[in-house]
Amino acid sequence: MKDIVFSGVQPTHSLHIGNYIGALKQWAHIQQQHHCYFCIVDEHAITVPHDPTTLRQRIQLVAAIYLAAGIDPKKSILFVQSEVPQHTELGWLLMTIAKMGELERMTQYKDKSRKGGASGASLGLFGYPVLMAADILLYDTSIVPVGEDQLQHVELARVLARRFNERYGDTFVIPQPLIQQFGARIMSLQDPSVKMSKSDEHEMAAVFLTDEDDVIRKKIMRAVTDSEAGIVYDAEKKPAVSNLMTIYHHMTGQTMKEIEAAFDDKGYGDFKKALAEAVITHVGPIRAKIQGYLDDPTELNKTLDAGRDKALAVAEAKMKIVRNKMGLGR
Ligand code: TYM
């Protein structure tokens, strides 16, 4: 039997190779076996200050990236979150069973609210994980393929599903996160102690899927390395080179042992040169496809329209059950 899979990305920027390795690359694989929903979560993107015109452009850009990364609209349902209003409706209903203490413990909230001070953070930023739980639970999702930073949010979705089921009777499937052994947390190229992030102020920290070849080359050649030489995988002792090796593994399909053997007598300079070429070889064709989809918005919009219609039908059928269980309406 096919499992139901749900995942999403915020259209807050172009996507970087951390998003690609941690999420999209897995999605392209998992869609071969399961029934998948891949969402562009624009309502999550407005929990921090945003520019409306830019947001709309980025929704198109992320849709193009999904397709270019191999998400096949014949196999998977691609849609924009705000076009299926049942997400915010279920988000509100789940707010009534979520606890303040649970949300206060969320590290993403703590990190993001620290910047402007917790009292200045929006209620939307605080409730962000509840909307994410709604995204997941609406479709009877059993698998959520994400990077490691989203594990805490998926755990909350599990807690809320169980609590709802206990209070109102069996309604939601309890979802499982799916993360991979290597690549669940790609680190910044400039500081291997922090994850690669779309909003990193250091322009050399992340390689974006839309970066040109010479920009990719520059970013990789300037990536920091560890004090001790040698191309050896050891995430604890050699975090910088282990991160670069993880990226190399995903770009070429070579195992860590194979990479270590190939660069046994080589230095960081040679390895970074090979890595830059591997990233360019893998990302170059994706970049060209992204541009192709952006140049033909008709095709892109057709895909998103069809995805929206399928998602709407499933989401509304589920909401009828949920409203009924909670005693809402007449
Ligand atoms: P977002 O937009 O921050 O990231 C999208 C996906 O990329 C993964 N990711 C990473 N993986 C490895 N290394 C990194 N450095 C890295 N940075 C990001 C994320 O874990 C994620 O899988 N809250 C989510 C979006 C969301 C969602 C959902 C996801 C909303 N509703 C429902 C799954 C299911 C987010 O902000 O992702």
Side-chain angles (χ1 to χ4, degrees):
M1 231 188 69
K2 285 189 175 185
D3 278 311
I4 297 177
V5 174
F6 186 100
S7 202
V9 171
Q10 295 189 70
T12 41
H13 209 291
S14 176
L15 305 194
H16 52 64
I17 51 172
N19 300 126
Y20 176 69
I21 292 171
L24 273 83
K25 194 164 169 268
Q26 289 205 79
W27 302 357
H29 183 67
I30 204 172
Q31 70 178 346
Q32 309 298 341
Q33 286 114 37
H34 298 299
H35 185 64
C36 300
Y37 294 86
F38 297 124
C39 187
I40 299 166
V41 292
D42 54 348
E43 288 165 328
H44 279 109
I46 60 170
T47 54
V48 290
H50 78 287
D51 171 55
T53 313
T54 314
L55 177 62
R56 187 148 289 156
Q57 285 162 358
R58 286 188 180 150
I59 292 170
Q60 295 287 122
L61 173 63
V62 172
I65 293 178
Y66 279 14
L67 293 171
I71 307 305
D72 179 355
K74 290 197 197 76
K75 294 199 170 84
S76 303
I77 296 172
L78 267 75
F79 70 103
V80 180
Q81 183 188 36
S82 63
E83 295 177 3
V84 182
Q86 287 80 356
H87 287 244
T88 43
E89 184 186 358
L90 182 58
W92 173 254
L93 303 186
L94 294 177
M95 292 260 185
T96 65
I97 64 164
K99 297 177 185 171
M100 303 278 284
E102 287 166 339
L103 296 175
E104 275 161 2
R105 282 197 292 276
M106 294 288 136
T107 50
Q108 184 170 302
Y109 169 72
K110 285 198 264 185
D111 287 350
K112 286 195 179 173
S113 63
R114 199 174 296 137
K115 288 181 189 156
S119 61
S122 72
L123 202 48
L125 186 65
F126 189 62
Y128 178 114
V130 183
L131 179 60
M132 178 162 160
D135 298 338
I136 296 167
L137 301 183
L138 253 186
Y139 299 95
D140 292 333
T141 304
S142 50
I143 303 177
V144 188
V146 282
E148 205 174 83
D149 61 332
Q150 297 301 315
L151 276 182
Q152 202 185 19
H153 291 162
V154 179
E155 184 51 41
L156 181 77
R158 290 164 59 81
V159 168
L160 296 181
R162 279 202 211 96
R163 189 173 299 150
F164 190 101
N165 289 351
E166 274 163 25
R167 214 170 275 185
Y168 299 108
D170 215 14
T171 310
F172 293 122
V173 173
I174 313 298
Q176 295 276 358
L178 177 70
I179 66 160
Q180 46 195 351
Q181 189 192 356
F182 295 112
R185 191 173 174 82
I186 299 293
M187 310 311 274
S188 157
L189 298 180
Q190 290 300 318
D191 177 359
S193 70
V194 299
K195 68 166 187 171
M196 186 177 280
S197 152
K198 292 178 209 146
S199 55
D200 199 310
E201 275 154 25
H202 198 308
E203 59 171 16
M204 293 288 150
V207 169
F208 289 94
L209 295 174
T210 44
D211 280 346
E212 296 293 337
D213 291 353
D214 54 340
V215 175
I216 296 177
R217 213 169 270 125
K218 198 157 83 189
K219 286 180 175 175
I220 302 231
M221 292 314 290
R222 291 205 192 156
V224 299
T225 45
D226 305 296
S227 47
E228 202 184 305
I231 314 302
V232 178
Y233 188 88
D234 183 334
E236 294 280 306
K237 293 202 190 109
K238 294 171 72 74
V241 79
S242 299
N243 185 44
L244 299 181
M245 288 173 77
T246 302
I247 298 172
Y248 193 84
H249 158 70
H250 277 278
M251 297 296 112
T252 62
Q254 289 181 30
T255 63
M256 294 305 173
K257 287 271 160 278
E258 286 167 342
I259 302 169
E260 284 174 356
F263 293 94
D264 186 31
D265 53 349
K266 305 251 175 23
Y268 288 142
D270 286 334
F271 177 60
K272 288 204 275 187
K273 261 187 222 151
L275 174 62
E277 293 321 306
V279 174
I280 288 167
T281 305
H282 195 99
V283 169
I286 296 179
R287 183 181 64 225
K289 284 188 200 159
I290 294 171
Q291 198 51 52
Y293 287 114
L294 290 176
D295 290 343
D296 181 10
T298 318
E299 171 80 17
L300 204 62
N301 286 322
K302 248 198 251 163
T303 301
L304 293 176
D305 285 351
R308 173 202 58 211
D309 292 346
K310 286 185 197 152
L312 265 175
V314 177
E316 181 50 22
K318 189 76 188 178
M319 282 313 295
K320 282 208 171 78
I321 297 169
V322 174
R323 292 181 204 115
N324 193 30
K325 293 244 181 184
M326 292 183 87
L328 293 163
R330 287 177 296 141

